[in-house]
PDB file of all heavy atoms in Angstrom:
ATOM      1  N   ILE M  36      -7.216  -0.702   4.311  1.00  0.00           N
ATOM      2  CA  ILE M  36      -8.528  -0.278   4.819  1.00  0.00           C
ATOM      3  C   ILE M  36      -8.898   1.079   4.222  1.00  0.00           C
ATOM      4  O   ILE M  36     -10.025   1.283   3.764  1.00  0.00           O
ATOM      5  CB  ILE M  36      -8.530  -0.241   6.362  1.00  0.00           C
ATOM      6  CG1 ILE M  36      -8.462  -1.672   6.914  1.00  0.00           C
ATOM      7  CG2 ILE M  36      -9.758   0.500   6.895  1.00  0.00           C
ATOM      8  CD1 ILE M  36      -8.196  -1.759   8.403  1.00  0.00           C
ATOM      9  N   LEU M  37      -7.954   2.011   4.204  1.00  0.00           N
ATOM     10  CA  LEU M  37      -8.224   3.332   3.622  1.00  0.00           C
ATOM     11  C   LEU M  37      -8.515   3.220   2.129  1.00  0.00           C
ATOM     12  O   LEU M  37      -9.431   3.860   1.619  1.00  0.00           O
ATOM     13  CB  LEU M  37      -7.046   4.279   3.857  1.00  0.00           C
ATOM     14  CG  LEU M  37      -6.861   4.783   5.281  1.00  0.00           C
ATOM     15  CD1 LEU M  37      -5.536   5.520   5.421  1.00  0.00           C
ATOM     16  CD2 LEU M  37      -8.012   5.684   5.689  1.00  0.00           C
ATOM     17  N   TRP M  38      -7.721   2.414   1.409  1.00  0.00           N
ATOM     18  CA  TRP M  38      -7.928   2.252  -0.030  1.00  0.00           C
ATOM     19  C   TRP M  38      -9.266   1.591  -0.348  1.00  0.00           C
ATOM     20  O   TRP M  38      -9.920   1.929  -1.323  1.00  0.00           O
ATOM     21  CB  TRP M  38      -6.797   1.439  -0.655  1.00  0.00           C
ATOM     22  CG  TRP M  38      -5.494   2.179  -0.787  1.00  0.00           C
ATOM     23  CD1 TRP M  38      -5.321   3.506  -1.079  1.00  0.00           C
ATOM     24  CD2 TRP M  38      -4.182   1.639  -0.651  1.00  0.00           C
ATOM     25  NE1 TRP M  38      -3.984   3.817  -1.126  1.00  0.00           N
ATOM     26  CE2 TRP M  38      -3.265   2.691  -0.877  1.00  0.00           C
ATOM     27  CE3 TRP M  38      -3.697   0.365  -0.365  1.00  0.00           C
ATOM     28  CZ2 TRP M  38      -1.882   2.507  -0.825  1.00  0.00           C
ATOM     29  CZ3 TRP M  38      -2.320   0.181  -0.315  1.00  0.00           C
ATOM     30  CH2 TRP M  38      -1.432   1.243  -0.543  1.00  0.00           C
ATOM     31  N   ASP M  39      -9.665   0.622   0.486  1.00  0.00           N
ATOM     32  CA  ASP M  39     -10.910  -0.108   0.229  1.00  0.00           C
ATOM     33  C   ASP M  39     -12.155   0.683   0.624  1.00  0.00           C
ATOM     34  O   ASP M  39     -13.259   0.346   0.211  1.00  0.00           O
ATOM     35  CB  ASP M  39     -10.916  -1.450   0.975  1.00  0.00           C
ATOM     36  CG  ASP M  39      -9.899  -2.434   0.408  1.00  0.00           C
ATOM     37  OD1 ASP M  39      -9.447  -2.228  -0.736  1.00  0.00           O
ATOM     38  OD2 ASP M  39      -9.564  -3.398   1.118  1.00  0.00           O
ATOM     39  N   SER M  40     -11.961   1.709   1.422  1.00  0.00           N
ATOM     40  CA  SER M  40     -13.087   2.505   1.903  1.00  0.00           C
ATOM     41  C   SER M  40     -13.652   3.380   0.789  1.00  0.00           C
ATOM     42  O   SER M  40     -12.919   4.002   0.038  1.00  0.00           O
ATOM     43  CB  SER M  40     -12.641   3.397   3.055  1.00  0.00           C
ATOM     44  OG  SER M  40     -13.660   4.321   3.375  1.00  0.00           O
ATOM     45  N   ASN M  41     -14.951   3.421   0.705  1.00  0.00           N
ATOM     46  CA  ASN M  41     -15.605   4.308  -0.261  1.00  0.00           C
ATOM     47  C   ASN M  41     -15.986   5.634   0.386  1.00  0.00           C
ATOM     48  O   ASN M  41     -16.695   6.434  -0.212  1.00  0.00           O
ATOM     49  CB  ASN M  41     -16.852   3.631  -0.836  1.00  0.00           C
ATOM     50  CG  ASN M  41     -16.483   2.456  -1.717  1.00  0.00           C
ATOM     51  OD1 ASN M  41     -15.457   2.461  -2.368  1.00  0.00           O
ATOM     52  ND2 ASN M  41     -17.328   1.450  -1.718  1.00  0.00           N
ATOM     53  N   GLN M  42     -15.519   5.826   1.613  1.00  0.00           N
ATOM     54  CA  GLN M  42     -15.865   7.030   2.357  1.00  0.00           C
ATOM     55  C   GLN M  42     -14.939   8.176   1.992  1.00  0.00           C
ATOM     56  O   GLN M  42     -13.906   7.998   1.372  1.00  0.00           O
ATOM     57  CB  GLN M  42     -15.754   6.767   3.860  1.00  0.00           C
ATOM     58  CG  GLN M  42     -16.611   5.629   4.344  1.00  0.00           C
ATOM     59  CD  GLN M  42     -16.345   5.338   5.815  1.00  0.00           C
ATOM     60  OE1 GLN M  42     -15.713   6.122   6.504  1.00  0.00           O
ATOM     61  NE2 GLN M  42     -16.827   4.221   6.280  1.00  0.00           N
ATOM     62  N   GLU M  43     -15.324   9.347   2.416  1.00  0.00           N
ATOM     63  CA  GLU M  43     -14.471  10.528   2.270  1.00  0.00           C
ATOM     64  C   GLU M  43     -13.570  10.622   3.495  1.00  0.00           C
ATOM     65  O   GLU M  43     -13.800  11.402   4.398  1.00  0.00           O
ATOM     66  CB  GLU M  43     -15.335  11.792   2.133  1.00  0.00           C
ATOM     67  CG  GLU M  43     -15.985  11.929   0.795  1.00  0.00           C
ATOM     68  CD  GLU M  43     -14.967  12.096  -0.328  1.00  0.00           C
ATOM     69  OE1 GLU M  43     -14.019  12.891  -0.160  1.00  0.00           O
ATOM     70  OE2 GLU M  43     -15.110  11.428  -1.350  1.00  0.00           O
ATOM     71  N   GLY M  44     -12.544   9.782   3.532  1.00  0.00           N
ATOM     72  CA  GLY M  44     -11.627   9.757   4.660  1.00  0.00           C
ATOM     73  C   GLY M  44     -12.187   8.925   5.800  1.00  0.00           C
ATOM     74  O   GLY M  44     -13.366   8.588   5.816  1.00  0.00           O
ATOM     75  N   MET M  45     -11.302   8.575   6.716  1.00  0.00           N
ATOM     76  CA  MET M  45     -11.699   7.744   7.856  1.00  0.00           C
ATOM     77  C   MET M  45     -11.034   8.254   9.127  1.00  0.00           C
ATOM     78  O   MET M  45      -9.876   8.679   9.103  1.00  0.00           O
ATOM     79  CB  MET M  45     -11.291   6.289   7.628  1.00  0.00           C
ATOM     80  CG  MET M  45     -11.965   5.620   6.454  1.00  0.00           C
ATOM     81  SD  MET M  45     -11.439   3.897   6.262  1.00  0.00           S
ATOM     82  CE  MET M  45     -12.487   3.130   7.506  1.00  0.00           C
ATOM     83  N   THR M  46     -11.758   8.156  10.216  1.00  0.00           N
ATOM     84  CA  THR M  46     -11.194   8.458  11.524  1.00  0.00           C
ATOM     85  C   THR M  46     -10.485   7.214  12.057  1.00  0.00           C
ATOM     86  O   THR M  46     -10.656   6.108  11.524  1.00  0.00           O
ATOM     87  CB  THR M  46     -12.293   8.859  12.530  1.00  0.00           C
ATOM     88  OG1 THR M  46     -13.136   7.721  12.763  1.00  0.00           O
ATOM     89  CG2 THR M  46     -13.115  10.036  12.022  1.00  0.00           C
ATOM     90  N   THR M  47      -9.727   7.387  13.114  1.00  0.00           N
ATOM     91  CA  THR M  47      -9.052   6.255  13.746  1.00  0.00           C
ATOM     92  C   THR M  47     -10.068   5.220  14.191  1.00  0.00           C
ATOM     93  O   THR M  47      -9.876   4.017  13.982  1.00  0.00           O
ATOM     94  CB  THR M  47      -8.196   6.748  14.932  1.00  0.00           C
ATOM     95  OG1 THR M  47      -7.268   7.723  14.448  1.00  0.00           O
ATOM     96  CG2 THR M  47      -7.441   5.611  15.584  1.00  0.00           C
ATOM     97  N   HIS M  48     -11.175   5.655  14.775  1.00  0.00           N
ATOM     98  CA  HIS M  48     -12.227   4.722  15.213  1.00  0.00           C
ATOM     99  C   HIS M  48     -12.798   3.949  14.031  1.00  0.00           C
ATOM    100  O   HIS M  48     -13.047   2.743  14.135  1.00  0.00           O
ATOM    101  CB  HIS M  48     -13.348   5.469  15.951  1.00  0.00           C
ATOM    102  CG  HIS M  48     -12.986   5.905  17.329  1.00  0.00           C
ATOM    103  ND1 HIS M  48     -12.713   5.026  18.341  1.00  0.00           N
ATOM    104  CD2 HIS M  48     -12.841   7.144  17.858  1.00  0.00           C
ATOM    105  CE1 HIS M  48     -12.418   5.687  19.453  1.00  0.00           C
ATOM    106  NE2 HIS M  48     -12.489   6.984  19.177  1.00  0.00           N
ATOM    107  N   GLU M  49     -13.016   4.616  12.904  1.00  0.00           N
ATOM    108  CA  GLU M  49     -13.559   3.936  11.723  1.00  0.00           C
ATOM    109  C   GLU M  49     -12.568   2.909  11.169  1.00  0.00           C
ATOM    110  O   GLU M  49     -12.968   1.828  10.719  1.00  0.00           O
ATOM    111  CB  GLU M  49     -13.931   4.955  10.649  1.00  0.00           C
ATOM    112  CG  GLU M  49     -15.127   5.797  11.035  1.00  0.00           C
ATOM    113  CD  GLU M  49     -15.358   6.991  10.125  1.00  0.00           C
ATOM    114  OE1 GLU M  49     -14.395   7.464   9.467  1.00  0.00           O
ATOM    115  OE2 GLU M  49     -16.510   7.462  10.079  1.00  0.00           O
ATOM    116  N   ILE M  50     -11.290   3.230  11.205  1.00  0.00           N
ATOM    117  CA  ILE M  50     -10.270   2.275  10.757  1.00  0.00           C
ATOM    118  C   ILE M  50     -10.313   1.033  11.643  1.00  0.00           C
ATOM    119  O   ILE M  50     -10.318  -0.100  11.152  1.00  0.00           O
ATOM    120  CB  ILE M  50      -8.874   2.922  10.753  1.00  0.00           C
ATOM    121  CG1 ILE M  50      -8.803   4.009   9.673  1.00  0.00           C
ATOM    122  CG2 ILE M  50      -7.777   1.879  10.554  1.00  0.00           C
ATOM    123  CD1 ILE M  50      -7.599   4.919   9.773  1.00  0.00           C
ATOM    124  N   ILE M  51     -10.377   1.238  12.942  1.00  0.00           N
ATOM    125  CA  ILE M  51     -10.430   0.119  13.891  1.00  0.00           C
ATOM    126  C   ILE M  51     -11.667  -0.742  13.639  1.00  0.00           C
ATOM    127  O   ILE M  51     -11.591  -1.976  13.696  1.00  0.00           O
ATOM    128  CB  ILE M  51     -10.385   0.633  15.346  1.00  0.00           C
ATOM    129  CG1 ILE M  51      -9.015   1.256  15.633  1.00  0.00           C
ATOM    130  CG2 ILE M  51     -10.693  -0.490  16.337  1.00  0.00           C
ATOM    131  CD1 ILE M  51      -8.936   2.048  16.920  1.00  0.00           C
ATOM    132  N   GLU M  52     -12.806  -0.115  13.326  1.00  0.00           N
ATOM    133  CA  GLU M  52     -14.039  -0.863  13.057  1.00  0.00           C
ATOM    134  C   GLU M  52     -13.871  -1.849  11.909  1.00  0.00           C
ATOM    135  O   GLU M  52     -14.530  -2.885  11.874  1.00  0.00           O
ATOM    136  CB  GLU M  52     -15.181   0.098  12.730  1.00  0.00           C
ATOM    137  CG  GLU M  52     -15.716   0.866  13.916  1.00  0.00           C
ATOM    138  CD  GLU M  52     -16.722   1.936  13.504  1.00  0.00           C
ATOM    139  OE1 GLU M  52     -17.223   1.903  12.364  1.00  0.00           O
ATOM    140  OE2 GLU M  52     -16.995   2.810  14.344  1.00  0.00           O
ATOM    141  N   HIS M  53     -12.985  -1.542  10.962  1.00  0.00           N
ATOM    142  CA  HIS M  53     -12.790  -2.406   9.798  1.00  0.00           C
ATOM    143  C   HIS M  53     -11.817  -3.552  10.059  1.00  0.00           C
ATOM    144  O   HIS M  53     -11.630  -4.408   9.193  1.00  0.00           O
ATOM    145  CB  HIS M  53     -12.325  -1.568   8.596  1.00  0.00           C
ATOM    146  CG  HIS M  53     -13.440  -0.796   7.976  1.00  0.00           C
ATOM    147  ND1 HIS M  53     -13.918   0.374   8.507  1.00  0.00           N
ATOM    148  CD2 HIS M  53     -14.187  -1.052   6.888  1.00  0.00           C
ATOM    149  CE1 HIS M  53     -14.911   0.818   7.758  1.00  0.00           C
ATOM    150  NE2 HIS M  53     -15.091  -0.030   6.763  1.00  0.00           N
ATOM    151  N   TYR M  54     -11.170  -3.566  11.206  1.00  0.00           N
ATOM    152  CA  TYR M  54     -10.269  -4.655  11.573  1.00  0.00           C
ATOM    153  C   TYR M  54     -11.086  -5.849  12.068  1.00  0.00           C
ATOM    154  O   TYR M  54     -12.110  -5.678  12.721  1.00  0.00           O
ATOM    155  CB  TYR M  54      -9.320  -4.218  12.698  1.00  0.00           C
ATOM    156  CG  TYR M  54      -7.976  -3.766  12.220  1.00  0.00           C
ATOM    157  CD1 TYR M  54      -7.746  -2.451  11.841  1.00  0.00           C
ATOM    158  CD2 TYR M  54      -6.915  -4.664  12.149  1.00  0.00           C
ATOM    159  CE1 TYR M  54      -6.509  -2.034  11.409  1.00  0.00           C
ATOM    160  CE2 TYR M  54      -5.663  -4.251  11.715  1.00  0.00           C
ATOM    161  CZ  TYR M  54      -5.473  -2.946  11.347  1.00  0.00           C
ATOM    162  OH  TYR M  54      -4.238  -2.536  10.906  1.00  0.00           O
ATOM    163  N   PRO M  55     -10.604  -7.059  11.787  1.00  0.00           N
ATOM    164  CA  PRO M  55     -11.262  -8.234  12.374  1.00  0.00           C
ATOM    165  C   PRO M  55     -10.943  -8.308  13.866  1.00  0.00           C
ATOM    166  O   PRO M  55     -10.020  -7.640  14.349  1.00  0.00           O
ATOM    167  CB  PRO M  55     -10.625  -9.409  11.617  1.00  0.00           C
ATOM    168  CG  PRO M  55      -9.295  -8.894  11.166  1.00  0.00           C
ATOM    169  CD  PRO M  55      -9.484  -7.411  10.933  1.00  0.00           C
ATOM    170  N   ASN M  56     -11.665  -9.120  14.584  1.00  0.00           N
ATOM    171  CA  ASN M  56     -11.385  -9.331  16.011  1.00  0.00           C
ATOM    172  C   ASN M  56     -10.170 -10.229  16.156  1.00  0.00           C
ATOM    173  O   ASN M  56      -9.972 -11.112  15.333  1.00  0.00           O
ATOM    174  CB  ASN M  56     -12.600  -9.953  16.702  1.00  0.00           C
ATOM    175  CG  ASN M  56     -13.739  -8.960  16.838  1.00  0.00           C
ATOM    176  OD1 ASN M  56     -13.515  -7.780  17.053  1.00  0.00           O
ATOM    177  ND2 ASN M  56     -14.951  -9.443  16.696  1.00  0.00           N
ATOM    178  N   PRO M  57      -9.356 -10.017  17.144  1.00  0.00           N
ATOM    179  CA  PRO M  57      -9.413  -8.947  18.138  1.00  0.00           C
ATOM    180  C   PRO M  57      -8.943  -7.621  17.534  1.00  0.00           C
ATOM    181  O   PRO M  57      -7.967  -7.574  16.789  1.00  0.00           O
ATOM    182  CB  PRO M  57      -8.446  -9.412  19.220  1.00  0.00           C
ATOM    183  CG  PRO M  57      -7.463 -10.273  18.503  1.00  0.00           C
ATOM    184  CD  PRO M  57      -8.208 -10.908  17.367  1.00  0.00           C
ATOM    185  N   LYS M  58      -9.679  -6.581  17.816  1.00  0.00           N
ATOM    186  CA  LYS M  58      -9.390  -5.258  17.268  1.00  0.00           C
ATOM    187  C   LYS M  58      -8.160  -4.659  17.959  1.00  0.00           C
ATOM    188  O   LYS M  58      -7.944  -4.870  19.147  1.00  0.00           O
ATOM    189  CB  LYS M  58     -10.587  -4.344  17.467  1.00  0.00           C
ATOM    190  CG  LYS M  58     -11.876  -4.921  16.882  1.00  0.00           C
ATOM    191  CD  LYS M  58     -12.480  -4.001  15.912  1.00  0.00           C
ATOM    192  CE  LYS M  58     -13.815  -4.545  15.411  1.00  0.00           C
ATOM    193  NZ  LYS M  58     -13.750  -4.950  14.034  1.00  0.00           N
ATOM    194  N   PRO M  59      -7.344  -3.929  17.203  1.00  0.00           N
ATOM    195  CA  PRO M  59      -6.184  -3.276  17.825  1.00  0.00           C
ATOM    196  C   PRO M  59      -6.628  -2.136  18.741  1.00  0.00           C
ATOM    197  O   PRO M  59      -7.733  -1.598  18.593  1.00  0.00           O
ATOM    198  CB  PRO M  59      -5.397  -2.744  16.630  1.00  0.00           C
ATOM    199  CG  PRO M  59      -6.383  -2.627  15.524  1.00  0.00           C
ATOM    200  CD  PRO M  59      -7.444  -3.661  15.772  1.00  0.00           C
ATOM    201  N   ALA M  60      -5.752  -1.775  19.645  1.00  0.00           N
ATOM    202  CA  ALA M  60      -6.035  -0.667  20.560  1.00  0.00           C
ATOM    203  C   ALA M  60      -6.049   0.655  19.795  1.00  0.00           C
ATOM    204  O   ALA M  60      -5.336   0.822  18.802  1.00  0.00           O
ATOM    205  CB  ALA M  60      -4.983  -0.623  21.666  1.00  0.00           C
ATOM    206  N   TYR M  61      -6.856   1.581  20.272  1.00  0.00           N
ATOM    207  CA  TYR M  61      -6.928   2.911  19.664  1.00  0.00           C
ATOM    208  C   TYR M  61      -5.537   3.539  19.590  1.00  0.00           C
ATOM    209  O   TYR M  61      -5.145   4.085  18.558  1.00  0.00           O
ATOM    210  CB  TYR M  61      -7.882   3.806  20.466  1.00  0.00           C
ATOM    211  CG  TYR M  61      -7.992   5.193  19.894  1.00  0.00           C
ATOM    212  CD1 TYR M  61      -8.971   5.495  18.959  1.00  0.00           C
ATOM    213  CD2 TYR M  61      -7.101   6.206  20.274  1.00  0.00           C
ATOM    214  CE1 TYR M  61      -9.072   6.769  18.405  1.00  0.00           C
ATOM    215  CE2 TYR M  61      -7.194   7.478  19.724  1.00  0.00           C
ATOM    216  CZ  TYR M  61      -8.175   7.759  18.799  1.00  0.00           C
ATOM    217  OH  TYR M  61      -8.258   9.006  18.245  1.00  0.00           O
ATOM    218  N   SER M  62      -4.775   3.441  20.696  1.00  0.00           N
ATOM    219  CA  SER M  62      -3.449   4.074  20.739  1.00  0.00           C
ATOM    220  C   SER M  62      -2.509   3.462  19.696  1.00  0.00           C
ATOM    221  O   SER M  62      -1.660   4.169  19.141  1.00  0.00           O
ATOM    222  CB  SER M  62      -2.849   3.968  22.138  1.00  0.00           C
ATOM    223  OG  SER M  62      -2.723   2.610  22.521  1.00  0.00           O
ATOM    224  N   THR M  63      -2.653   2.186  19.417  1.00  0.00           N
ATOM    225  CA  THR M  63      -1.809   1.530  18.410  1.00  0.00           C
ATOM    226  C   THR M  63      -2.079   2.112  17.031  1.00  0.00           C
ATOM    227  O   THR M  63      -1.149   2.497  16.305  1.00  0.00           O
ATOM    228  CB  THR M  63      -2.069   0.010  18.394  1.00  0.00           C
ATOM    229  OG1 THR M  63      -1.756  -0.520  19.689  1.00  0.00           O
ATOM    230  CG2 THR M  63      -1.246  -0.687  17.323  1.00  0.00           C
TER     231      THR M  63
END
Side-chain angles (χ1 to χ4, degrees):
I36 290 169
L37 288 171
W38 286 324
D39 291 342
S40 170
N41 291 328
Q42 303 174 13
E43 285 296 315
M45 297 180 81
T46 66
T47 303
H48 286 295
E49 291 169 336
I50 293 167
I51 293 168
E52 287 172 15
H53 284 79
Y54 263 87
N56 289 324
K58 305 236 184 249
Y61 180 91
S62 59
T63 300

